[in-house]
């Protein structure tokens, strides 16, 4: 049995004492410890993870659940020569702590600090850059096949969660691994009890037997003896399969060509160590099913693993006297753009019984929880299966249903073929509510919605809108819903400027912009949420400011007017400049032979690092001051 250590009730605000952990700056040093010391090391690692995330903010629920597994993997395998690929990477904080980044973790997700996910350019122990789910088995398979081609003998291990295993890509990789049969290990970190809810001493004992040399040697010898007797060979194979089937839910993985072991308790270090040591020596594709508890060792996270998936930095509480200073009474928080969408979806569902909501495992993030409760029969969470989500919507639309697909910009990239082939070509009536458009700050390049305007704008039949505030979002969602054909509304993470949201819903005139400010010389055409920054620049420049609203169709009438009455046109968007909304304006000007000077302001041709959203905008000259600076520079060039 594994040693029972105290459970944390709160996040430490002072650095805990970690004498063993302090000695480990490299897994080589971890492997110098005795097995008896690993339980205490795991406890110290859990304490430090809690402390560091409290100082920096970030993901920690998944990391708490794989403390023992992480220790065991680095203890048994010769990392970094042996390759460990963490799926998604939310659970990789303990891995980072053990691989030379312990003190740097206090600045994780901050500018110049460690990335939120494993990154190849950050450490040799981060063997594959991740952030999106369900890629680990494919990557580890590639590494295992390379090891076979190079005769290197190195091991390849993929660690994937039960949620990530729902994606088709994971099963494509499992199928290919079963066919090519390299020496590799897939570890299923089952922290939701979604495959098995029965773990105990008997199953741990079975896992040790099935992964042991004696059992596997006997099995292999028996196969050789029986190979000339097909009937007996088939009988032995089925007998083994049925015995395993009585004890373990691994038949599917066995059929795919894997040797399935488990499930075992992922917090039982002795069992983990013995099983991994045994499986390390086995040939061919191996599958280890490990059951863990998300948030393990931190009581609040064990009770609420979703709520404690990630936390913000713990700030010191300010002392205020509300009885004498009413100005200190906090105002109600502004609704996030996602909240505006969630409320609109419920309101629209009340009005139209044809509406259904679809999400690829983003219910909380996209604010679909209330909708899922109120309209359960019209809510479809397809798990991590973005391609399926889009084609499911297409199938529903074929039958007169009105699907609304709530999806993050960065994840819509994964369903691009379905967007074109299954929705746009057939001109189907599907509304895409595209959340997290633009930069997302601390999560970095893997989660930034930097490209959607570029990859959407080139698709025929698309209606594309970008709101500048919360009320615009509500009206655009309604407009897109009523539009006959594929429609997209892209909006950013977090809160907007705080405008009043109208209860009534009004159709916007398609392709019609809105004048915000009248000026001379310079005309700023703003697409989306950077309008507030554009207002600051426009005031200082006495510029005309237009909220363009529509990326497709463009308001070509206003472009015609402004090109005749202004010296310089400026397009502004929180999307890459290449192929974005500004490119559409230039294409129109070129087609019409209009020679008015124009500059495009947006995201550069680069993958931007993680950091505060405001700081990243400053780097890209997309703050009010940066916009003004870029425009003045261009004006000077024109007048020279």
């Amino acid at each position: 049995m594994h040693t029972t250590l105290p459970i944390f009730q709160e996040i430490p605000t002072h650095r805990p004492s970690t004498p063993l952990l302090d000695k480990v700056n490299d897994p080589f040093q971890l492997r110098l410890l005795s097995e008896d010391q690993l339980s205490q090391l795991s406890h110290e690692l859990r304490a430090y993870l809690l402390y560091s995330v409290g100082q920096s903010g970030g993901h920690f629920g998944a990391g708490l659940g794989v403390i023992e597994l992480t220790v065991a993997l680095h203890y048994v395998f010769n990392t970094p020569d042996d390759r460990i690929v963490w799926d998604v990477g939310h659970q990789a904080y303990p891995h980072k702590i053990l691989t030379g980044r312990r003190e740097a973790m206090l600045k994780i997700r901050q500018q110049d600090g460690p990335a939120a996910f494993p990154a190849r350019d950050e450490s040799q122990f981060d063997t594959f850059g991740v952030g999106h789910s369900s890629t680990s088995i494919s990557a580890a398979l590639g590494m295992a096949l390379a090891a076979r081609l190079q005769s290197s003998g190195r091991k390849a291990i993929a660690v994937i969660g039960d949620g990530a295993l729902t994606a088709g890509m994971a099963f494509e990789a499992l199928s290919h691994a079963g066919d090519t049969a390299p020496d590799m290990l897939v570890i299923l970190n089952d922290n939701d009890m979604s495959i098995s809810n029965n773990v105990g001493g008997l199953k741990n004992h079975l896992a040790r037997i099935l992964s042991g040399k004696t059992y596997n040697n006997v099995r292999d010898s028996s196969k050789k003896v029986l190979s000339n007797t097909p009937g007996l060979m088939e009988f032995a194979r089925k007998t083994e399969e049925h015995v395993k089937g009585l004890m373990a839910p691994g038949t599917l993985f066995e059929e795919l060509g894997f040797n399935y072991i488990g499930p075992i308790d992922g917090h039982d270090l002795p069992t983990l160590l013995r099983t991994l040591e045994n499986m390390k020596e086995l040939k061919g594709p191996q599958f280890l099913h490990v059951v863990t508890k998300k948030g393990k060792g931190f009581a609040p996270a064990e009770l609420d693993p979703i709520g404690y998936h990630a936390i913000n930095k713990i700030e010191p509480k300010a002392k205020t006297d509300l009885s004498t200073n009413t100005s200190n009474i906090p105002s109600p928080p502004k609704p996030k753009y996602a909240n505006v969408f969630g409320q609109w979806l419920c309101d629209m569902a009340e009005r139209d019984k044809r509406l259904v909501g679809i999400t690829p495992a983003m219910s909380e993030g996209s604010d679909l929880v209330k909708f899922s409760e109120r309209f359960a029969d019209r809510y479809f969470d397809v798990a991590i299966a973005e391609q399926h989500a889009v084609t499911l919507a297409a199938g529903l639309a074929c039958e007169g249903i009105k699907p609304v697909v709530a999806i993050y910009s960065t994840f819509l990239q994964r369903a691009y073929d379905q967007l074109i082939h299954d929705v746009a070509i057939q001109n189907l009536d599907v509304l895409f509510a595209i959340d997290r458009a633009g930069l997302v700050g601390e999560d970095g390049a893997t989660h930034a919605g930097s490209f959607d305007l570029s990859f959407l704008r080139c698709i025929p039949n698309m209606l594309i809108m970008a709101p500048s505030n919360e009320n615009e979002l509500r009206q655009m969602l309604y407009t897109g819903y009523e539009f006959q054909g594929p429609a997209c509304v892209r909006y950013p993470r977090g809160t907007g400027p705080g405008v009043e949201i109208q209860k009534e819903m009004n159709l916007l005139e398609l392709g019609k912009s809105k004048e915000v400010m009248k000026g001379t010389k310079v005309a700023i055409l703003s697409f989306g949420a950077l309008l507030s920054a554009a207002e600051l620049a426009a005031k200082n420049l006495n510029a005309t400011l237009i909220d363009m609203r529509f990326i497709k169709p463009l308001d070509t009438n206003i472009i015609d007017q402004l090109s005749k009455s202004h010296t310089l046109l400026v397009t502004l968007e929180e999307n890459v400049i290449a192929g974005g909304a500004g490119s559409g304006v230039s294409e129109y000007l070129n087609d019409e032979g209009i020679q008015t000077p124009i500059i495009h302001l947006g995201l550069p041709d680069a993958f931007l690092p993680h950091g505060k959203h405001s700081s990243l905008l400053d780097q890209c000259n997309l703050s009010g001051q940066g916009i003004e600076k870029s425009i003045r520079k261009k004006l000077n060039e024109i007048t020279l």
Side-chain angles (χ1 to χ4, degrees):
M1 294 296 293
H2 50 96
T3 304
T4 301
L5 291 167
I7 293 178
F8 293 92
Q9 300 296 327
E10 56 186 25
I11 294 174
T13 55
H14 295 90
R15 195 191 191 289
S17 174
T18 55
L20 277 179
L21 183 63
D22 293 346
K23 296 177 181 178
V24 178
N25 294 305
D26 186 290
F28 169 74
Q29 295 165 316
L30 168 66
R31 293 189 281 271
L32 296 177
L33 300 178
S34 68
E35 289 189 16
D36 292 339
Q37 293 176 295
L38 297 184
S39 179
Q40 180 60 35
L41 177 77
S42 298
H43 180 68
E44 292 179 13
L45 180 55
R46 187 167 274 115
Y48 189 82
L49 174 61
L50 285 167
Y51 166 71
S52 66
V53 176
Q55 298 298 302
S56 64
H59 299 96
F60 77 122
L64 288 171
V66 296
I67 293 286
E68 289 81 10
L69 177 61
T70 306
V71 169
L73 282 170
H74 281 294
Y75 194 77
V76 171
F77 290 95
N78 184 33
T79 54
D81 186 57
D82 290 335
R83 315 301 200 205
I84 301 175
V85 182
W86 300 93
D87 208 283
V88 185
H90 290 148
Q91 77 280 47
Y93 285 24
H95 158 80
K96 291 197 175 201
I97 293 170
L98 291 175
T99 52
R101 289 164 280 181
R102 182 179 61 248
E103 302 308 320
M105 292 297 288
L106 301 175
K107 293 187 177 180
I108 194 169
R109 303 169 76 242
Q110 300 174 27
Q111 215 156 338
D112 300 323
F117 307 96
R120 280 173 56 84
D121 60 358
E122 186 178 293
S123 170
Q124 62 178 334
F125 292 94
D126 293 359
T127 60
F128 195 75
V130 292
H132 290 191
S133 88
S134 315
T135 62
S136 62
I137 303 175
S138 296
L141 173 58
M143 295 171 185
L145 290 172
R148 186 164 71 186
L149 289 169
Q150 297 163 350
S151 301
S152 67
R154 67 165 51 102
K155 308 296 182 181
I157 306 102
V159 184
I160 187 168
D162 54 297
L165 197 64
T166 63
M169 182 178 178
F171 280 91
E172 291 169 15
L174 286 170
S175 177
H176 188 211
D179 181 58
T180 53
D183 297 338
M184 69 176 296
L185 171 61
V186 174
I187 299 177
L188 170 59
N189 173 32
D190 180 0
N191 61 22
D192 198 30
M193 312 304 277
S194 60
I195 295 178
S196 170
N197 60 3
N198 184 14
V199 178
L202 183 58
K203 294 223 171 176
N204 287 343
H205 179 64
L206 178 69
R208 284 194 290 270
I209 293 173
L210 296 179
S211 66
K213 286 184 179 180
T214 302
Y215 172 83
N216 284 276
N217 287 339
V218 170
R219 184 184 67 171
D220 292 343
S221 298
S222 300
K223 285 182 177 179
K224 290 177 182 178
V225 172
L226 298 174
S227 60
N228 295 323
T229 314
L232 286 175
M233 181 69 176
E234 180 64 14
F235 175 77
R237 186 190 67 79
K238 285 189 174 181
T239 299
E240 178 190 38
E241 180 182 299
H242 289 154
V243 170
K244 278 187 170 184
L246 288 172
M247 309 301 294
T251 305
L252 171 63
F253 305 109
E254 294 274 3
E255 291 297 325
L256 287 170
F258 280 77
N259 177 44
Y260 172 90
I261 304 295
I264 67 172
D265 183 347
H267 304 295
D268 183 344
L269 258 174
T271 295
L272 276 174
L273 292 169
R274 293 292 82 75
T275 304
L276 288 172
E277 285 167 356
N278 289 336
M279 297 188 80
K280 181 181 178 181
E281 303 304 320
L282 300 181
K283 299 297 183 183
Q286 306 296 320
F287 193 101
L288 175 61
H289 182 173
V290 173
V291 176
T292 62
K293 189 173 187 64
K294 195 170 184 179
K296 176 69 174 178
F298 180 53
E302 289 190 17
L303 293 172
D304 183 13
I306 294 176
Y308 281 91
H309 172 67
I311 61 169
N312 294 322
K313 176 181 177 180
I314 298 176
E315 301 288 354
K317 294 181 180 180
K319 294 181 179 180
T320 56
D321 184 358
L322 299 182
S323 62
T324 58
N325 188 356
T326 57
S327 64
N328 286 324
I329 299 175
S331 56
K334 294 188 295 185
K336 297 177 180 178
Y337 280 104
N339 303 144
V340 177
F341 164 72
Q343 184 61 55
W344 170 83
L345 192 66
C346 290
D347 293 346
M348 198 69 223
E350 288 180 346
R351 294 173 55 161
D352 190 346
K353 295 187 183 300
R354 297 174 301 160
L355 182 149
V356 300
I358 301 171
T359 179
M362 288 288 115
S363 178
E364 288 80 15
S366 296
D367 199 24
L368 285 166
V369 174
K370 188 181 295 184
F371 177 85
S372 70
E373 294 168 350
R374 292 179 57 188
F375 305 96
D377 59 334
R378 293 152 66 185
Y379 168 72
F380 301 99
D381 185 339
V382 303
I384 301 172
E386 294 87 357
Q387 294 168 309
H388 168 60
V390 173
T391 304
L392 171 68
L396 286 161
C398 286
E399 304 304 320
I401 300 297
K402 297 278 286 187
V404 179
V405 179
I407 192 167
Y408 290 7
S409 171
T410 185
F411 299 140
L412 183 58
Q413 296 165 184
R414 309 186 82 174
Y416 193 51
D417 179 65
Q418 288 69 27
L419 189 65
I420 295 173
H421 185 273
D422 299 336
V423 175
I425 287 178
Q426 302 183 95
N427 201 29
L428 292 174
D429 200 4
V430 179
L431 172 62
F432 294 90
I434 304 172
D435 197 351
R436 269 59 167 186
L439 299 174
V440 293
E442 290 83 357
D443 280 345
T446 60
H447 282 58
S450 305
F451 310 107
D452 55 82
L453 292 185
S454 300
F455 71 67
L456 290 170
R457 197 175 65 79
C458 62
I459 304 175
N461 296 334
M462 283 282 178
L463 172 66
I464 310 170
M465 297 170 278
S468 59
N469 59 53
E470 300 90 337
N471 186 57
E472 285 276 278
L473 172 58
R474 183 174 173 85
Q475 308 311 324
M476 285 181 179
L477 288 166
Y478 178 65
T479 301
Y481 184 82
E482 294 295 330
F483 178 73
Q484 297 301 302
C488 303
V489 183
R490 60 106 66 174
Y491 49 94
R493 179 184 192 179
T495 58
V499 304
E500 182 180 354
I501 302 171
Q502 299 169 5
K503 177 68 175 174
E504 62 272 18
M505 301 183 217
N506 300 301
L507 288 174
L508 302 179
E509 182 181 345
L510 298 185
K512 181 67 175 177
S513 63
K514 181 173 66 176
E515 184 178 273
V516 178
M517 201 175 297
K518 185 79 171 177
T520 59
K521 271 187 142 180
V522 175
I524 304 174
L525 311 180
S526 180
F527 295 88
L530 291 177
L531 184 70
S532 297
E535 287 187 75
L536 298 175
K539 286 178 183 177
N540 292 336
L541 292 162
N542 189 29
T544 295
L545 176 58
I546 306 295
D547 181 358
M548 290 298 288
R549 289 174 153 182
F550 291 86
I551 292 87
K552 191 174 185 179
L554 277 172
D555 187 344
T556 54
N557 289 331
I558 195 67
I559 296 171
D560 285 336
Q561 295 172 28
L562 296 173
S563 64
K564 294 172 183 175
S565 58
H566 290 70
T567 304
L568 175 65
L569 298 182
V570 180
T571 66
L572 178 65
E573 61 194 299
E574 197 171 339
N575 185 85
V576 290
I577 294 172
S583 294
V585 175
S586 280
E587 289 162 13
Y588 174 75
L589 293 173
N590 183 65
D591 288 345
E592 298 299 311
I594 299 172
Q595 300 297 315
T596 305
I598 184 170
I599 60 169
H600 302 306
L601 303 181
L603 303 180
D605 185 23
F607 291 109
L608 295 171
H610 52 281
K612 284 189 176 180
H613 182 252
S614 57
S615 298
L616 294 175
L617 289 181
D618 283 338
Q619 285 183 38
C620 300
N621 285 323
L622 294 178
S623 62
Q625 186 177 6
I627 294 167
E628 179 183 348
K629 179 181 176 183
S630 298
I631 295 173
R632 289 193 184 280
K633 179 182 178 183
K634 185 64 176 180
L635 282 173
N636 289 335
E637 293 173 0
I638 293 172
T639 56
L640 286 176

